[in-house]
């Protein structure tokens, strides 16, 4: 479901670009905005109370954290905040490159949790656990898009200081 948000979001934003919305005239910018939407959706699960069962919630995310990592509860909140910051960074032209690289690092860092969740059969929203054969390609997709967005982002223009006499 979440990869579909990324793919359809990129197509949708790029279609807006084709209709004249200048912000979305390139695929990397459309993908950056689609990934931002995806990240807002995924980050929201980090803060959803355990009593909510129609979507992944905080308790589901805590169960994903490998047992060798301390402070699982705090790590889930931290990664949720990092995802939201990454989403904001992707939308802002000046920070898109940095956000893309930072998110790529975050996706690599989250890989052990995704592997643990698949191997330990951690269910989401009371449903089935996502199998490893699905989780790994999804992480690779997110990593590839983040790197693509970062590499194609224009470097922030240096601030010109003007002195008025």
């Amino acid at each position: 479901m979440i990869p579909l948000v990324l793919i359809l979001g990129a197509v949708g934003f790029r279609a807006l670009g084709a209709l004249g919305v200048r912000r979305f005239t390139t695929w990397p910018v459309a993908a950056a905005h689609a990934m931002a939407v995806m990240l807002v959706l995924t980050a929201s699960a980090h803060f959803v109370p355990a009593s909510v069962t129609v979507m992944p919630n905080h308790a589901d995310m805590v169960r994903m954290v490998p047992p060798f990592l301390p402070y699982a509860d705090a790590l889930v909140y931290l990664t949720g905040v990092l995802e939201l910051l990454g989403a904001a960074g992707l939308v802002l032209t000046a920070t898109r490159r940095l956000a893309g690289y930072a998110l790529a690092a975050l996706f690599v860092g989250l890989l052990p949790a995704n592997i643990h969740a698949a191997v330990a059969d951690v269910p989401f929203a009371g449903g089935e656990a996502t199998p490893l054969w699905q989780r790994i390609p999804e992480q690779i997709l997110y990593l590839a898009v983040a790197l693509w967005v970062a590499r194609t982002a224009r470097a922030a223009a240096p601030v010109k200081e003007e002195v008025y006499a």
Side-chain angles (χ1 to χ4, degrees):
M1 170 72 172
I2 294 299
L4 207 52
V5 170
L6 177 59
I7 294 164
L8 292 178
V11 170
F13 284 122
R14 186 60 193 93
L16 288 173
L19 292 172
V21 179
R22 283 184 276 162
R23 182 165 189 87
F24 306 120
T25 57
T26 68
W27 279 105
V29 172
H33 283 74
M35 181 166 271
V37 170
M38 180 201 82
L39 287 167
V40 168
L41 292 174
T42 59
S44 67
H46 293 73
F47 307 100
V48 171
S51 59
V52 175
T53 58
V54 295
M55 66 178 284
N57 58 46
H58 182 78
D60 291 331
M61 301 304 225
V62 169
R63 284 192 297 277
M64 284 182 65
V65 178
F68 64 84
L69 291 174
Y71 310 109
D73 199 53
L75 286 173
V76 169
Y77 286 124
L78 174 64
T79 55
V81 168
L82 292 174
E83 287 181 12
L84 291 172
L85 289 172
L90 289 173
V91 172
L92 300 171
T93 305
T95 57
R96 188 169 297 139
R97 178 180 299 236
L98 176 61
Y101 285 128
L103 284 167
L106 179 64
F107 294 143
V108 169
L110 292 175
L111 191 56
N114 281 290
I115 292 170
H116 170 72
V119 172
D121 281 330
V122 174
F124 267 173
E128 298 284 321
T130 308
L132 190 59
W133 64 263
Q134 182 179 342
R135 283 184 179 272
I136 299 299
E138 284 180 14
Q139 285 296 113
I140 291 170
L141 171 66
Y142 306 149
L143 178 64
V145 171
L147 289 173
W148 179 49
V149 164
R151 288 184 178 148
T152 57
R154 285 187 236 140
V159 177
K160 279 182 129 177
E161 291 187 32
E162 295 186 27
V163 179
Y164 296 99

